[in-house]
Amino acid sequence: MTDLVSGAQMRAARGILKWSIADLEKQSGVSSMTIKRMERGDGVPSARDENIQAVYNAFISSGRIRFEGEDVVQIVFEE
């Protein structure tokens, strides 16, 4: 099963992390063209499951982002 992340969540998470599309491409292995297409909408993108999972994993691997449903992006603060 693919962990879901919406286009709106992707844009928000990139903003929080101050990642460019190129940064996300480097972290996820997903092409910048695909990332741009995935970010266009607000809902879950119609993209290959592997690409959605790779983007999700890149954000989670940062240690600073969590997702809840299709609408919430949580910032993880270290204590």
Side-chain angles (χ1 to χ4, degrees):
M1 182 185 142
T2 301
D3 292 304
L4 300 179
V5 58
S6 71
Q9 286 172 312
M10 289 173 60
R11 294 188 306 271
R14 275 196 321 102
I16 291 165
L17 295 173
K18 296 184 173 130
W19 283 2
S20 66
I21 288 178
D23 293 329
L24 181 53
E25 178 180 30
K26 185 185 298 183
Q27 295 298 322
S28 68
V30 176
S31 75
S32 59
M33 187 82 95
T34 299
I35 290 168
K36 288 176 187 177
R37 190 178 72 252
M38 290 170 66
E39 286 189 352
R40 277 191 200 126
D42 290 334
V44 175
S46 59
R48 293 178 39 207
D49 286 348
E50 309 86 63
N51 289 337
I52 296 171
Q53 188 68 55
V55 167
Y56 178 92
N57 290 344
F59 287 128
I60 298 301
S61 294
S62 75
R64 297 196 45 226
I65 299 291
R66 288 192 195 129
F67 299 102
E68 187 176 315
E70 292 180 33
D71 300 319
V72 178
V73 177
Q74 297 175 335
I75 303 169
V76 178
F77 293 99
E78 294 187 36
E79 295 179 17

